Amino acid sequence: MKSPGKVALAGFSALAIAATLAGCSAGGGSGKLELRVGTFPAGADPAAYEAFEKQEADFEKANPTIDVIGEEYEWKGPTFAVQLAGGSLPDVFTVPFTEAKTLLENGQLADVTKQVEDLGYADKFNPVILEGVQDNDGKIYGFPRQAYAMGLHYNRELFTAAGLDPDKPPTTWDEVRAAAKTISEKTGKAGFATMTFNNTGGWQLTAQTVARGGRTQVDNGDGTYTETIDNEGTKAALQFLHELRWEDNSMGSNFLLDWGTINQEFAAGNVGMYTGGSDVYTALVRDFSTEPDIYGLAVIPNEGDDPGTLGGGDIAVVSPTATEEEKEAGAKWIDYYYMQRLLDEKAAKFDAKTLADSDQAVGTPVLPVLDPETEEQRVGWIEKYINVPRDQMTSFIDNIGTQLPVGEPKGKTQEIYALLDAVVQAVLTDEDADIDALLEQANKDAQAILDAK
């Protein structure tokens, strides 16, 4: 197997190709444990792989019996189950928080309780976040590695071209609509776009529902859940999309977008605004070659009774088919690659410097998975390496602390997100779509999914 990072970088010269292939061929016969780890989506910036290779080399120097093999990886709801069943996933990979409970209940994640406890920082995790990777007995099935709150991403260049002030992004949904219409009229680009498939349409509809005070699911506290999709917040979110699409014509012509494709469109300058996780700037620069100057981040507008901001993140996990030796090696890699940068000054500075030297993002706004004191300490350690344009993110940084964090629905999350994809698509492709009827049916279908044994 070849590290995609090595392959990507090798393309620069024949000499590099020869050196890379020689390096890859050494693993199998060296007597080392080969550990396959998920890296980046296909097509990521070569600089990202360069940074990864430096970290890989540093890890292998400290762990000479382990040969790390990077593999291209991107979690996508519809394909993940097939990869998992077919055994094509790496030994170490990441999954969204929303998948953790279902996967661990199905025996599809390795129990890493001993490894986390041996590392000595189980008590430093935010307990609410840690609970998401624990079973009823408190056993731990993954390392929470990053978290985010939802934000409003906007293209400062398109704002300027449309005569809008990029330093004063919208703060209400009405202002978002007005800005989207202006951008579309002045530039011919989509003023606002939203994700619609691969479970992302349901994800963003849920986020926009929460921002309007609605909730799509109630946790009954006894292991059961009640669907409440048919609520005023969801109706308002869908009506908003209907108005932008059919009354304002401000959403462009592409209504099949997921996380990857909407980021591609944004990076290409074709989208004025969209909602998504606050941590996406790193991927925009690393994987989609976004120019930093065009990027802006604001808080997602909050309106109505009991509004909040949907949060989420992902966890690093070990394959359930891993041997004990592979599990130990996997935990060491996760600790090195994801966790020590949060906990140790030397590791934090090494990681930040490595990323900065490779022109990768350092300092992207996130929600800390560890206690506030540990996170504040980490930011202090890496301050001189921070290179993200945080002055273009002040609306988010200054205001996210005033918004109520709301976790994603826990019951059959991704299956219900997939169900809601179709609702979002219907509203955007059928001008006469009956929103009330769509939500009534979606609520029944979602509850059936929850009730199925």
Side-chain angles (χ1 to χ4, degrees):
M1 298 181 186
K2 299 180 180 71
S3 164
K6 294 175 182 175
V7 174
L9 291 169
F12 292 118
S13 69
L15 178 61
I17 291 175
T20 296
L21 295 178
C24 286
S25 66
S30 66
K32 295 182 179 181
L33 171 70
E34 290 188 346
L35 184 71
R36 300 179 304 126
V37 303
T39 54
F40 313 112
D45 190 322
Y49 292 118
E50 182 179 0
F52 174 83
E53 288 204 339
K54 290 178 181 177
Q55 293 161 318
E56 176 186 11
D58 185 64
F59 175 82
E60 290 179 347
K61 181 178 179 181
N63 297 274
T65 63
I66 302 173
D67 180 19
V68 173
I69 302 174
E71 297 186 351
E72 289 177 346
Y73 171 79
E74 180 182 4
W75 186 90
K76 289 188 175 182
T79 58
F80 178 79
V82 176
Q83 291 175 295
L84 186 63
S88 62
L89 287 167
D91 300 313
V92 175
F93 52 95
T94 58
V95 296
F97 282 146
T98 54
E99 286 293 275
K101 287 293 188 183
T102 299
L103 291 172
L104 71 86
E105 288 170 1
N106 292 340
Q108 294 171 318
L109 296 179
D111 179 354
V112 292
T113 307
K114 176 182 180 298
Q115 287 74 23
V116 175
E117 291 179 346
D118 286 350
L119 288 166
Y121 48 75
D123 60 347
K124 283 187 172 292
F125 283 107
N126 178 328
V128 174
I129 290 177
L130 184 63
E131 188 273 335
V133 297
Q134 291 178 301
D135 64 13
N136 293 334
D137 296 323
K139 292 181 179 178
I140 302 170
Y141 289 82
F143 292 69
R145 73 174 191 96
Q146 67 177 11
Y148 61 81
M150 210 57 62
L152 178 70
H153 310 283
Y154 67 97
N155 185 311
R156 294 173 59 88
E157 193 172 74
L158 289 181
F159 265 62
T160 299
L164 302 171
D165 187 346
D167 293 326
K168 294 181 180 179
T171 59
T172 68
W173 289 110
D174 284 344
E175 290 178 0
V176 171
R177 180 182 178 184
K181 190 171 188 293
T182 300
I183 290 169
S184 183
E185 290 175 347
K186 298 289 187 180
T187 71
K189 306 295 186 179
F192 184 87
T194 195
M195 303 176 210
T196 59
F197 77 107
N198 278 341
N199 305 7
T200 61
W203 174 46
Q204 287 308 301
L205 179 60
T206 301
Q208 294 169 28
T209 294
V210 168
R212 290 172 169 85
R215 303 291 187 271
T216 59
Q217 188 180 97
V218 173
D219 184 344
N220 298 322
D222 59 1
T224 66
Y225 305 91
T226 300
E227 281 305 306
T228 55
I229 291 169
D230 191 4
N231 67 79
E232 292 304 314
T234 308
K235 290 178 184 178
L238 289 172
Q239 187 60 40
F240 171 80
L241 295 176
H242 184 276
E243 290 167 353
L244 267 65
R245 167 69 174 95
W246 299 105
E247 295 181 21
D248 301 345
N249 192 29
S250 60
M251 295 188 71
S253 58
N254 186 355
F255 306 112
L256 280 178
L257 297 167
D258 63 359
W259 184 87
T261 51
I262 204 168
N263 288 330
Q264 288 175 342
E265 288 295 292
F266 182 85
N270 296 326
V271 170
M273 293 175 286
Y274 70 106
T275 58
S278 61
D279 59 344
V280 79
Y281 176 83
T282 298
L284 283 171
V285 173
R286 181 189 69 199
D287 303 334
F288 303 100
S289 301
T290 302
E291 291 295 330
D293 289 348
I294 77 165
Y295 180 78
L297 175 64
V299 285
I300 193 168
N302 272 199
E303 298 176 0
D305 296 331
D306 196 30
T309 300
L310 193 71
D314 63 35
I315 58 174
V317 299
V318 177
S319 168
T321 62
T323 65
E324 282 300 311
E325 188 180 15
E326 289 169 339
K327 187 161 68 171
E328 288 291 335
K332 286 182 179 180
W333 171 256
I334 292 170
D335 176 60
Y336 167 83
Y337 190 61
Y338 296 120
M339 302 308 302
Q340 284 304 308
R341 67 179 73 177
L342 307 178
L343 291 155
D344 177 76
E345 180 175 4
K346 181 179 178 181
K349 288 181 176 179
F350 175 82
D351 175 70
K353 184 178 186 303
T354 299
L355 293 173
D357 288 348
S358 301
D359 295 323
Q360 301 300 295
V362 179
T364 301
V366 297
L367 289 181
V369 297
L370 303 176
D371 59 76
E373 294 78 14
T374 301
E375 173 62 12
E376 184 177 348
Q377 186 179 52
R378 182 191 72 86
V379 173
W381 288 334
I382 67 170
E383 186 173 5
K384 76 174 185 176
Y385 300 109
I386 291 175
N387 58 15
V388 305
R390 289 173 70 91
D391 58 331
Q392 296 167 206
M393 307 174 183
T394 53
S395 173
F396 181 88
I397 294 170
D398 293 347
N399 296 297
I400 188 59
T402 67
Q403 295 191 340
L404 174 69
V406 176
E408 293 183 78
K410 296 179 181 179
K412 304 289 184 179
T413 312
Q414 296 297 332
E415 291 179 55
I416 294 172
Y417 281 172
L419 180 73
L420 292 176
D421 280 357
V423 175
V424 177
Q425 292 170 22
V427 170
L428 295 180
T429 58
D430 180 3
E431 185 173 5
D432 298 321
D434 186 333
I435 291 175
D436 288 337
L438 286 168
L439 289 180
E440 182 179 357
Q441 187 61 50
N443 207 87
K444 291 178 182 178
D445 294 343
Q447 192 63 52
I449 291 172
L450 287 173
D451 294 341
K453 301 298 183 183

